Amino acid sequence: DAGVIQSPRHEVTEMGQEVTLRCKPISGHDYLFWYRQTMMRGLELLIYFNNNVPIDDSGMPEDRFSAKMPNASFSTLKIQPSEPRDSAVYFCASSLLGNTEAFFGQGTRLTVV
Amino acid sequence: QKEVEQNSGPLSVPEGAIASLNCTYSDRGSQSFFWYRQYSGKSPELIMSIYSNGDKEDGRFTAQLNKASQYVSLLIRDSQPSDSATYLCAVVPGTALIFGKGTTLSVSS
C-alpha cells in the first residue's frame, strides 16, 4: 500500500481565498483523522471520521473550517475564507481501528499571505 | 480537558548514551499509548506502542507505562546522531490520538 496520500504538498494562497486539502487514507482503514501542527500549539486534532461519518469535530477552530468524507478513499478539509493565522502544516492520518496506532500522510504546508 | 504534557527540551546527549523522554497525561481512562518520531519537515512515524503497565522493548527502544501515575516514558539506548528528532507522546483517551507538543532530542557525535 502507498500509505496515506495528501495533496497538495504545499499551498500558498492569499487571505480570503478558499483552500481545499485532500487526503486518501490507507485502504481498509476505518478511521480518518485531520490534524494541524504549529510551533505554538503542537499537533492538534481537528476532526475524525469513522466509516465516512464525522464523529468528533470539536477541534475544528471556527466555522470557516469544514471537512467531508464522501467515500472510504477520499476526504477533504476546506477553509473558507482563509486567514494568515491558518498557516500551518495539516496532516491526515488513518487507522484500522479506533484506539490503535495511526499512520500519517506527508502533510500539506499551508501558507496564507 | 484531555492533556498530554512533555518537556519541550532540547534534550542533549552524547552518542552512545541513554536518552530518557517523559510524558504525563490527564485522562485516567486512557488505554493506548504511543511514541512517534518526527524529523524536521517530515511527518510523524510510529516507533513504539504500549497498552499495559510495565516495560516493552523493541531493539534500542524501551517504552514504560505506569497508569497509576499517569506516566509514559521512552528510553533510547546507545543513542545515535540519526536519533536526533522530535519525539511525540500520544495518548488515546477515547478513539483518537491526542499528542503532546514533543521533546526535541539532539545526539552529538
Side-chain angles (χ1 to χ4, degrees), chain B residues 4 7 9-11 15-16 20 37-38 50 52 59 67-68 70 72 74 84 93 98 102:
Chain B
V4 180
N7 289 327
L11 173 65
E15 184 176 357
S20 178
R37 178 177 61 200
Q38 186 175 27
I50 187 166
S52 55
K67 290 185 179 179
Q70 295 175 241
V72 193
L74 179 71
S84 298
I98 305 301

Side-chain angles (χ1 to χ4, degrees), chain B:
Chain B
Q1 185 175 1
K2 301 177 176 69
E3 293 183 347
V4 180
E5 299 289 341
Q6 297 181 252
N7 289 327
S8 61
L11 173 65
S12 298
V13 300
E15 184 176 357
I18 296 175
S20 178
L21 305 163
N22 305 313
C23 170
T24 59
Y25 60 95
S26 63
D27 192 305
R28 190 171 286 277
S30 299
Q31 294 297 319
S32 303
F33 307 86
F34 306 94
W35 284 97
Y36 284 76
R37 178 177 61 200
Q38 186 175 27
Y39 292 112
S40 180
K42 302 296 185 182
S43 58
E45 59 176 330
L46 178 70
I47 53 173
M48 288 288 288
S49 61
I50 187 166
Y51 300 94
S52 55
N53 281 329
D55 295 358
K56 179 181 178 183
E57 186 174 320
D58 184 0
R60 296 187 296 113
F61 299 97
T62 299
Q64 299 174 317
L65 173 61
N66 184 324
K67 290 185 179 179
S69 300
Q70 295 175 241
Y71 177 88
V72 193
S73 66
L74 179 71
L75 299 178
I76 307 175
R77 291 181 300 281
D78 188 24
S79 295
Q80 302 297 309
S82 59
D83 294 326
S84 298
T86 296
Y87 289 81
L88 301 168
C89 173
V91 174
V92 185
T95 299
L97 277 68
I98 305 301
F99 286 84
K101 291 185 178 180
T103 298
T104 299
L105 173 66
S106 176
V107 182
S108 56
S109 57

